Amino acid sequence: MYKSDTICAVATGMGRSAIGIVRISGKDAVDIADELFRGRKRLREMDSFRAAFGYIYDGDVKLDEVIALVMRGPHTYTTEDTVELDCHGGPLVMKRILELLIKNGVRPAEPGEFTKRAFLGGRIDMTGAEAVMDVISAENDMALRSSVEQLSGSLRKCITEMRDRIIRETAFIEAAIDDPENYSLNGYEEKLSEIINDIDHEILKLIETGDEGRIIKEGVRTAIVGRPNVGKSSVMNMLTGTDRAIVTSVEGTTRDTLEEYINLNGITLKLIDTAGIRNTDDIVEKIGVERALESMNEADLIMLVLDSSEPLNENDKELIRNISKRKYLVLINKSDMEQKLDMDELSQLDSSKFISISAKYNEGLDEIRDAVRKMFFAAEIDFNNQIYITNLRHKNALISASESLGRVKESIAAGLGEDFYTIDMMAAYESLGEIIGETLEDDLADRIFSEFCMGK
Ligand code: GDP
C-alpha cells in the first residue's frame, strides 16, 4: 500500500546553475525543513505558498543561503505538504543539503516519485502523469503543444466519457437481469448495438491519430536511400547544417545504431540508419542496397537520392521499384552538373515528388521542407479540437478495448444473450481504464514512473 513517508530530491539539473531546487514532500516535510532552516520566520508557522529567506544549517555549520517555499497539501503537486528550497545551483551544495535531509529521516525519492504521489493522491490521472514527462522531453513545438493539451486532461475526459457510457449500459443489463419486472430488455439489443458501434468508432478514430501522434512526438522516421556516391551523406549534411538545424545524436543500444534528429523549422525528422549512409564506402554495393531496403521498412518517409549527372544503374532501378507504394520524395541531386539522367526512366514515380537539389551547394532545402510539411501535416494541426494518441501504451489499450467491443458486436449478432455482452463490455471498460490508470496493475504503474527523471 501507499505509504506517505517524506521524500526529497533535487528537482533541477545536477550541473552548475544559478539556482538549484531541493524538493521535499510528505507529512513531515515542513517540520523537518523547519528544524534545519534558520530565518526570521519559522517555516511551520507560515501559511501555504509563502516563501522565507534564511539559511540551512547542519548543526552549527551554515550550508547555504536559501529561499524556502512552503506549500501545504492537498493543493500541491504531490497533494502532500511540500517544501522547496531554492539554494545555489552547485552540485556539492545540493548534495550536502540532500545528505542533511536524509540524515534527518527524509528518504531519497525514486525517479518519478513526486508525480507518482500526485497520481496516487488523485490529483492527476495516468495520462496527466505521462503528459508531464512528455512536456519535459518534448523536442519540438508540436510535441510540446500536444503534451500540454494532454496535461490539461483532454484525453482523460474523452476516455472517461466512453467508460461512463459502457458502465451505464452494463448496469442496465445487470438491473434488467435481476429485476425483469421493472427493466425490460425487449428491443434493447438494437440500442446497445448502436451505442457499442458508436464508442468503437470513436476508439478507432483515436487509434488512427496514433501515426500522426507518433510523428508529432518523435518526428517523421526518414530513410535516406540511394546507391553509393549519389550524395546521401551530402544530403544529410545539408539537412543537418548547423546554421539551420539542430542535430542531436542519441547513443542507441548497439554501437552502430545512432539516432539522429533533424529539426527543419519545426518539423522533426528522425533519421533511420545513418550509420548505413556514413559507411557505404566500406560496404559492397549490393549489401548497401539490401541494407537500404531494410531501413525503408520502418520509415514513414523515404528520401531516394539519385545522381542526375549519371544514367540510372541497376541499383537505382531496384530502389525505385521498391518505393513506389510508399511515401517518398525523390531528390535529384547534383543539379549543378550536366544532366545525364533520363527522366523518362522515372515515369513509374509521381513527378510531383521530384525535387531537384544540389547538396554540395545547399540548394533545395526549402523545397524539401515544404514537401515534408505537405505530406505529413496536410491540415493545420489543431490541438484544441483533436486529441492525438502519442503514447504506444495508450494505443495498445485502445486496440484491446476495440477488440472487446468487437466481441460484443459478434455476441449480439449471434444472439448469445446479455451475460456474454457484459463480460466483453467490462473488458473494454478495463482496457480503457488502463489508459487513465484506474485499472492499471501496480507493477506496470511502477514501471511507467521509473522511466521518469529524478526529482519529478
Ligand atoms: P553517398 O555515397 O551517397 O553518401 O555520396 P556522398 O555524399 O559521399 O557524395 C559522393 C560524391 O558526390 C562526393 O564527392 C560529393 O562531393 C559529390 N556530391 C554530392 N552532392 C553533390 C552535388 O550536389 N553536386 C556535385 N557536383 N557533387 C556532389
Side-chain angles (χ1 to χ4, degrees):
M1 261 316 282
Y2 173 46
K3 203 169 94 259
S4 170
D5 54 353
T6 301
I7 54 172
C8 64
V10 173
T12 45
M14 251 308 191
R16 284 188 202 169
S17 56
I19 291 172
I21 298 178
V22 175
R23 200 180 210 187
I24 313 159
S25 177
K27 63 177 174 20
D28 301 324
V30 180
D31 285 343
I32 294 175
D34 190 48
E35 291 299 314
L36 310 172
F37 176 85
R38 288 186 215 164
R40 243 185 300 158
K41 293 182 210 155
R42 297 298 307 256
L43 299 185
R44 57 161 62 98
E45 284 159 14
M46 274 162 51
D47 287 340
S48 191
F49 292 101
R50 293 298 156 120
F53 172 80
Y55 298 89
I56 293 292
Y57 274 84
D58 181 2
D60 291 330
V61 183
K62 200 188 266 183
L63 283 187
D64 196 14
E65 187 180 87
V66 302
I67 290 190
L69 178 60
V70 174
M71 294 173 275
R72 296 184 194 277
H75 300 294
T76 62
Y77 184 70
T78 56
T79 73
E80 305 169 329
D81 283 356
T82 302
V83 175
E84 281 181 13
L85 301 174
D86 279 18
C87 50
H88 288 102
L92 183 63
V93 62
M94 290 190 283
K95 185 163 169 267
R96 287 281 176 270
I97 293 177
L98 274 189
E99 283 168 354
L100 179 65
L101 287 166
I102 293 164
K103 205 163 74 182
N104 282 272
V106 182
R107 176 171 64 74
E110 289 157 23
E113 196 169 2
F114 291 89
T115 308
K116 184 177 178 179
R117 290 183 172 202
F119 170 67
L120 294 171
R123 206 183 72 78
I124 52 174
D125 74 309
M126 197 49 107
T127 64
E130 287 167 318
V132 166
M133 209 48 223
D134 288 343
V135 169
I136 293 173
S137 53
E139 298 242 13
N140 65 60
D141 287 339
M142 278 192 278
L144 180 59
R145 279 171 60 194
S146 150
S147 31
V148 169
E149 186 59 34
Q150 184 170 314
L151 187 59
S152 72
S154 52
L155 179 59
R156 183 201 40 168
K157 187 159 167 278
C158 165
I159 297 292
T160 307
E161 277 168 11
M162 290 196 277
R163 292 183 89 217
D164 285 351
R165 291 179 75 188
I166 294 175
I167 202 79
R168 214 179 303 138
E169 298 312 315
T170 313
F172 178 79
I173 295 173
E174 308 265 317
I177 292 171
D178 283 352
D179 184 4
E181 281 174 22
N182 287 311
Y183 300 94
S184 163
L185 287 170
N186 267 345
Y188 172 71
E189 284 176 352
E190 205 168 307
K191 181 185 163 214
L192 180 64
S193 236
E194 237 167 68
I195 293 170
I196 296 295
N197 275 328
D198 200 44
I199 299 172
D200 194 30
H201 181 70
E202 214 171 310
I203 291 177
L204 292 174
K205 258 183 17 204
L206 279 178
I207 294 173
E208 267 175 29
T209 68
D211 272 350
E212 204 161 348
R214 178 180 55 71
I215 286 171
I216 289 171
K217 187 172 172 181
E218 293 178 12
V220 180
R221 286 197 296 231
T222 306
I224 301 175
V225 301
R227 66 169 163 80
N229 272 322
V230 289
K232 294 180 297 300
S233 326
S234 309
V235 167
M236 281 254 306
N237 291 340
M238 170 168 83
L239 291 172
T240 60
T242 45
D243 52 339
R244 62 187 80 81
I246 304 161
V247 187
T248 42
S249 299
V250 182
E251 197 71 56
T253 42
T254 59
R255 269 188 56 217
D256 77 346
T257 58
L258 200 67
E259 291 187 342
E260 289 188 75
Y261 295 86
I262 302 177
N263 195 336
L264 286 179
N265 283 11
I267 295 176
T268 303
L269 301 184
K270 179 180 183 180
L271 298 181
I272 297 175
D273 193 26
T274 53
I277 296 173
R278 299 214 151 125
N279 296 334
T280 38
D281 287 351
D282 337 328
I283 300 173
V284 194
E285 193 139 312
K286 188 63 190 162
I287 299 181
V289 173
E290 269 168 17
R291 185 160 182 167
L293 291 174
E294 225 167 81
S295 67
M296 278 161 51
N297 285 336
E298 31 172 325
D300 301 311
L301 170 67
I302 297 159
M303 287 191 186
L304 171 65
V305 185
L306 298 176
D307 183 342
S308 67
S309 72
E310 291 189 9
L312 293 182
N313 75 9
E314 267 317 305
N315 286 319
D316 295 315
K317 288 179 189 160
E318 184 169 359
L319 290 169
I320 288 170
R321 276 195 294 279
N322 279 282
I323 65 167
S324 58
K325 296 216 163 54
R326 306 284 306 275
K327 280 194 174 164
Y328 63 85
L329 286 176
V330 182
L331 307 182
I332 302 175
N333 192 28
K334 310 196 186 178
S335 62
D336 55 291
M337 294 174 76
E338 191 195 336
Q339 182 163 341
K340 301 233 176 79
L341 177 73
D342 180 2
M343 297 299 277
D344 289 344
E345 290 200 78
L346 303 179
S347 60
Q348 57 177 303
L349 295 176
D350 173 1
S351 63
S352 73
K353 305 276 186 246
F354 295 178
I355 303 175
S356 169
I357 66 165
S358 170
K360 188 169 177 178
Y361 297 102
N362 273 328
E363 277 164 24
L365 190 65
D366 289 347
E367 288 78 2
I368 295 175
R369 188 189 51 231
D370 291 348
V372 174
R373 190 194 299 273
K374 236 186 255 154
M375 286 169 91
F376 290 91
F377 305 105
E380 188 60 26
I381 292 178
D382 180 358
F383 290 101
N384 296 323
N385 298 321
Q386 170 78 59
I387 297 164
Y388 287 90
I389 298 299
T390 56
N391 184 312
L392 190 60
R393 189 182 77 76
H394 300 169
K395 187 173 170 184
N396 289 337
L398 287 168
I399 290 172
S400 75
S402 174
E403 284 168 357
S404 298
L405 294 183
R407 281 193 294 276
V408 178
K409 290 186 220 171
E410 282 167 20
S411 307
I412 296 176
L416 288 185
E418 287 75 16
D419 284 349
F420 282 89
Y421 314 156
T422 53
I423 292 171
D424 290 315
M425 284 161 73
M426 285 316 287
Y429 179 81
E430 300 258 315
S431 297
L432 293 173
E434 280 174 23
I435 296 173
I436 53 175
E438 290 223 339
T439 53
L440 205 58
E441 310 256 329
D442 281 353
D443 51 344
L444 186 56
D446 286 345
R447 208 167 63 225
I448 293 169
F449 287 113
S450 71
E451 283 163 15
F452 275 46
C453 52
M454 212 35 137
K456 189 65 228 183

